[in-house]
Amino acid sequence: MKYILSPSILAADFKKLGEEMCQTAENGAEYLHFDVMDGMFVPSISFGMPVLASIHGATEQVMDVHLMVQEPIRYIEAFKEAGADLVTVHLEACEDVSATIEKIKECNMKVGLSICPDTPAEAVEPYLGELDMVLVMSVHPGFGGQKFIPESLEKIRQIRQMITKRELDVDIQVDGGIYQTNVREVLEAGANVIVAGSAVFKGDPGDNTRRFMEILKSYE
């Protein structure tokens, strides 16, 4: 199994975003996490297609787009055009989950499905065969800096068991409250793609990325 770090640029200093992105790439972060919030599915508003389009050509990292957006199917084609490689939508935000997944596939992007802390692991099971990744939110979506919800670990274990039982090749990404001090328990529960925001971008992004990658690589 491959272990991947996906730094969330929501926590970056946008005055020097290009430099900080390069530092994460140079130190082993294969993905770059792009949190899109619409002020409807979640209270916050972040950024959208124009920002993605402006940065995706500045790095070879995978553009890992997390749509915290009501009815995300409306925007799938636009995010493809802006440079998204992997699009994750929330099960709770889609009127028709299967149609949304199919739309992402039609646009030749990898597809992820996310669930909030209050949604049970079993909710993703009907869709596992169509997914490249499941994103387990370990905080309530919409705000940075929250503490990791410990109950997320059991949810990760349950989803990993489902994937293993069906012999599927599906990544488990976890997002929210992850630091070098607690990432090992997340990995041991069955996750292999880690989103980290302030844990990467507060301080030295290059050094923080390198330290995260040392831990992740030790599980391969």
Side-chain angles (χ1 to χ4, degrees):
M1 187 185 299
K2 192 171 190 179
Y3 289 82
I4 297 166
L5 182 66
S6 188
S8 173
I9 65 166
L10 194 64
D13 181 348
F14 272 64
K15 295 190 301 293
K16 46 187 180 180
L17 178 58
E19 174 189 340
E20 293 190 345
M21 285 165 46
C22 288
Q23 289 176 343
T24 66
E26 289 166 358
N27 286 277
E30 293 186 37
Y31 286 12
L32 203 62
H33 196 76
F34 195 86
D35 285 308
V36 181
M37 308 181 194
D38 66 351
M40 294 177 64
F41 179 65
V42 294
S44 300
I45 296 173
S46 59
F47 35 59
M49 289 81 78
V51 175
L52 179 61
S54 72
I55 67 171
H56 92 274
T59 177
E60 294 184 359
Q61 289 164 292
V62 171
M63 294 290 108
D64 171 22
V65 177
H66 176 196
L67 298 183
M68 288 173 270
V69 171
Q70 198 67 36
E71 281 305 302
I73 195 170
R74 298 175 293 161
Y75 302 109
I76 300 305
E77 291 182 8
F79 274 100
K80 171 63 176 178
E81 292 173 6
D85 298 300
L86 163 62
V87 170
T88 297
V89 297
H90 271 266
L91 182 149
E92 305 90 350
C94 300
E95 183 175 338
D96 188 331
V97 176
S98 294
T100 307
I101 291 170
E102 184 58 32
K103 184 67 174 179
I104 298 170
K105 288 176 171 289
E106 287 174 1
C107 290
N108 295 313
M109 294 182 290
K110 288 188 174 182
V111 55
L113 185 63
S114 182
I115 51 173
C116 295
D118 295 335
T119 301
E122 293 80 12
V124 303
E125 190 165 16
Y127 309 104
L128 281 178
E130 300 299 317
L131 302 177
D132 296 292
M133 187 175 78
V134 175
L135 167 53
V136 175
M137 291 299 300
S138 47
V139 298
H140 294 283
F143 301 98
Q146 299 178 63
K147 289 186 177 179
F148 182 88
I149 297 172
E151 289 78 9
S152 305
L153 295 172
E154 181 56 30
K155 189 180 292 186
I156 297 164
R157 291 187 194 100
Q158 291 173 3
I159 295 172
R160 178 55 68 193
Q161 287 170 1
M162 295 175 199
I163 292 168
T164 301
K165 184 177 180 180
R166 293 174 58 177
E167 299 182 339
L168 298 172
D169 183 15
V170 179
D171 292 326
I172 298 179
Q173 184 178 70
V174 184
D175 182 1
I178 301 179
Y179 294 84
Q180 293 168 35
T181 51
N182 66 350
V183 67
R184 289 185 182 276
E185 54 187 334
V186 177
L187 297 169
E188 287 164 8
N192 67 302
V193 184
I194 300 298
V195 177
S198 56
V200 168
F201 288 107
K202 302 306 180 188
D204 183 330
D207 186 57
N208 290 336
T209 298
R210 180 180 56 78
R211 292 175 184 272
F212 260 115
M213 289 308 304
E214 286 174 355
I215 297 172
L216 267 62
K217 290 296 184 184
S218 71
Y219 283 81
E220 291 187 349

